[in-house]
Structure formats: C-alpha cells, structure tokens
Amino acid sequence: MTAELDRGQNHTLPQTRLEIRVSAGTPVVAGATLGDERGTVHGIEWIAHPGSPQLPGLEVSKQAAADHRLAVDLDAVPAAVHRVTVLLALPMEVGGPVRFGAVAAPFVAVTGLEGTEIATFTLTGLDAESAVAALELYRRQGDWKVRAVGQGYAGGLAAMLADQGVTGAAELARSIHEAVARGMARSVAPPPPRTPEGDRVRHTAAIGEAGPARRPAGFSPAPTRPTAATGPTTDSTAGGPTAGPSAGPATGPISYAHPRRQATAPPPPPPTAPPAEPGKPAQPVAGDATGWSMEERLYNQVWGMFEDLARTTAAYRSAVDFAESRMDQELDRALSDPRNRIGGAGDRARQEARAKRDQLTDRAREALDRDLAQLAAESAVVEPALPAAFAAWDNPVWHAYRVPMEIPMALRIGDLHLPENSDLHIPLLVRLPLERGIWVDSGRTASEAAALTDADRLRRLAMDNAVAHAARLLAVYPAGEFSVHVIDAAGSAAAALAPLVNSGVLAGPPAAGAGGVASVLARLTRRVDLVQMAIRAGASDSLPPDLDTAEQLLIVNDFPHGFDDRAVTQLRYLADEGPSVGVHLLMVADREDASAYGPVLDPLWRSLLRITPVADDHLADPWVGHAWTYEPLGMPAGSRVLEQVLAQVAAARRTGRRP
C-alpha cells in the first residue's frame, strides 16, 4: 500500500534498491546529496548533479526535464553516508519560470524497481523558492526510511547547497546551471503535452494540433526492463537512470503517462495491427499511435520510436556497466585475501567473474537485439507512409508533391541513430512554426568528420544543407504563407543559392555587403517590433498594409562577415524575439570566425538548434540524454526533385493561390 506523505512524515523502506520518480510539469534540475549523521555534505564529490551524475549507489539525470527517474542502491552507498537528500531546482538563464509558485506542484514518488509506489509526496505551498529539498532517505537503527522534506529556498540552488554545509556552494550552483544550459541547448525539444482536458496544444492561432509523443498503452516494444543480471538501467522520462528489477524482464505493456494525469477526451482509435502468431511479436502498422489525424498519429509514432530506442539502448548500456562493475567488485573481494592473489584460486576467481560478466552482457544484448528488430520492422512500414513534410528526399511522396493547403505539424530536418545499430534511423522532426532557429555549423572543429573534410567543401555542404531546409519549409507551407530572405554579404554562396534564386521563390535578391545586411535586418526587426506592439495592444488589424504577415525565414551565410556591432545586436534580437512572432533564423556559420566577440554571442549559439553538414554525434534526446549521431538529409544522386518542388512553389506564389 502506498504511503502518501505530508511534509515531515516518514515511512520505512522495505527494500534498498529503489527508483525516485519526479513529475514537475516543467523542466527542473534533479540532483542528490550524500550526508553524514548530521546531514553535512563533505565536498562536491558527495553531490550528484547533471554535470556529475553518478556516485556510488546513486545516479541522477544528465539534463533538466519535466520528469525524472533517479536510481538508488542504498547498499552501495559509502558506510559514512547516513542521509540521501533529493534536490529539485528550476534551471536558470534558459528563459523558463524562476519560482516554483509559478508552476504545478512537483510530485515525487519512491518506487520499487518494478514501479510499485512505496511512498509519494506532493510539494505544495511553494512560492518564491527556486530550489527545494524534496525528500531524504536516512538510516535509523540499521534500517532505511524516507522522509518528506519540502524545504524550499528563495536563494536557489546555492542557498540550498550552502545549508547542507557545501563549501563553495555559489560556484558549484553556477557550474550546475551552466551544465544544464549546455545540455538544454543540445537537446532535441520533446513534443508538447496535451492539456488536462485532452485538447491539442496550439502554439499560435494559426497552428495545427499536436499530441504527446507517447506510445499507446498496448504498444510493443516496451522499454527494455533489466533483470537481476542486467542491473541498473537508464530508463527515464527525462534523462535519469533507473535501477533494474530483481526478477525477469517485464512482459506487460508500459504506460508512459503519469497515473494522476489522464486525458478525458481521447482521440479516435488508431489502426490496429493484425493478430500476432503465437510466440511472435505483433506486426507493426503505420499510424499505430494516438492522434486526431493520420498525420498526428505518424508524428507521435515517430516520437514513440525515438523514445523506445533511447530507453532500450539505455537499459543495455546500463546493464553492461553493471556487469563490469559487478565483475570488479567480485575480483576485489576475491583478491583482497593475499592468499588468493597467486596460484589457482586467483585464476579461478578471475575466470568466474569474467564468465558472469559475459553472461550478463550477452543477456542484455539479446534483449537489445530483440527490441531493435521490432523497431526496425516498424521503421520499415512507417517510412513509406510518411507525408512529404516528414519524408526524406528519396521518398516517392515528393514526386507527387502538390502545394499544401494547411501547415503541417512538423518538418523533418535529418535523421538520428545510435552506435548500437547505425542502420536504424529515426527521423528528426521539429515542430512548425519553428520554435527556435537553426544553425548549420560549417566549422572544421565541430566533429571528426568535419575535420577530415576540406574547409571550402564543408562550407559548400553547409550552405547546400541550409538551402535544402529552406526549400522544404517553402514546400510544406501554403502558397504565400512563408517568405525567405538571404544575407550573403560576400556573395560566396551564389552557386548553392542558385535553386532558390533561379526559381524565384525568394522574397528578394540575396543581400550583399554591409548595406544589404543593414537593410534586411532593419526590415525584419521592424516587423518583429510592429507585430509585438500589435499583440500587446490587441490591435492586430491595425498593422501597416505593406507588412508581410507570412512567416519569415532569414538565411545568414558566413556570419559575422559584413556585420558590425549594430547588426550583431539586431541578429541577437531576431533570434530571441523573432520565433514568437514568425521570424526565424537559419544561420550557416563557423563559431571560430566569430570568436572575437567572445562570450557576447554565447546566448545566440545556445538559442539555435545546431546541426551539421556531415554526420556528428552532438544532439541529445530529451529522455535519457544519449549522444545521437545526426545525419543531414541527402539528395538522391542525379535527382531534380528539389528544382521540381521549387518550381511548383514559385508557380503557386505567382498565381496567388492560397488556402
């Protein structure tokens, strides 16, 4: 029976291997400290946080997220530790809420490895606090107990750490927030949630519906659950690890939804797979996810595949780590006796430990391969069914392209894969309208593949990549509802820009020189200012008649060439304020070229989604935080699909056809 705790209450823990699950409704930082009998934390090595997520017996999330799962093995914590305190803090300098009173009350649950709740605590009554000690696990007469704490700190993470006796608390808190900001900058944004009533979230009045990227309750594969042989797993909705159960792998369906947050208006039922033969998994079906339309179902299904692959890979990696750790511990115990260090006893101990390690890793690999096979089968049926906005350039859907009448939910900008199976690619879908700008990194120091590529070729590939993204955006918007501007101060991208220029789809000729840069930036800055003023005044019908109300995309090549200080300031303003009013950036730049500006441009780079013209493992998922290899969408050799699509877009613009 679950104990629902109030502030100050405690409950005896029936086991020592646990999960601590956090649901906050908004991204929070989750961490934990190890304390002695008095609760004093003896140095930063006793603190688990996103920048240093692992301690003996404890593992926390690597990034801020709305939901976390923390893995705890109380038998593995050092003997000097008598208290484990779970900390929550709102991330700073990322544009989110700055006090817990402005967000939903966080919910914390201590569960067994199989998910059964042992004790829960809802942190109500918080207001100006930006950090809180949620609960603590503590030793009492040889047993472990959990106490609901709920102590908030208006001084934030620094004040909370200082209260626990941490030396240099302010510096440590600053480094944690910096690590979180870096992690959020490289993380792929998760899909927006549903409202409690089940309605679809809308970004603006003109935007289509969006559902959560959760799998339907009966979908298989479920995230791999570890056995006693596989040990702790990184299976977290928000990027945190969990510990594996002591029994065999779970066979029932996995529900990702919080049990206390249920929609009251479910969408129509999705297609169902044909009955599976006994002993075989069900055959996958395209659109086998929740949603109000086939487009939304496919969108949610792709995100579900993304999540499943992240979780099952996390389980495998954690199982391998556990097997290695267990082997090291067994060897340490066996060889701690000097008599076993030589002779047959020592050799037998080594062989037995390695055999157990190999057995655990083989079992984990079998589970991973089973899940990978199911996901590969699902990908094989989903890819051909994707609409143009979600499809790769080699999909036949582009040969039947027609200018759409409605804005799609999302746009595919590349593929993602993990080293465990580099052939299984997950489409990287970003929401429309774009919620942040895109930066195509043309620098040779960005990755190993970039370092091996000629600098001039890399810049050309980067610009080709940007042109392809701009073409896809033009293609998926209704006629006249998306405009593209180009700043090419040195005129070095003329060849790459030829498809856009020759088709006549640009809002104007590419701007060159300092004067062209200033003119384009002034025009777009004015648009942002006017739309913001109209929104604040509730007078959207009073905008000047010459103002283009379509979504705007600004392609910037070779930044910061041709930019003075004023232009740089305007560009930062567009990056910060533009997306909310329909002005978006697509930058092609080498960060080293702008190094003279120092940290002034750090917020600009962090605000943009960084992608690369060659394969690079720099993007992170929002659940576990794996480093995923991003691959840009390639154009089939000899294909003229880009020119054909742009020709249709241009023709629709000339005739003024609108929905």
Side-chain angles (χ1 to χ4, degrees), residues 638-659:
S639 172
R640 295 191 55 81
V641 65
L642 182 65
E643 289 79 3
Q644 294 167 0
V645 167
L646 289 176
Q648 290 201 44
V649 172
R653 289 166 64 95
R654 285 193 299 270
T655 59
R657 180 163 62 86
R658 299 175 69 97

Side-chain angles (χ1 to χ4, degrees), residues 398-419:
W398 284 105
H399 295 287
Y401 168 77
R402 294 293 182 269
V403 177
M405 303 295 286
E406 295 181 351
I407 301 171
M409 293 179 58
L411 182 75
R412 185 173 184 167
I413 63 169
D415 289 337
L416 299 172
H417 66 80
L418 291 171

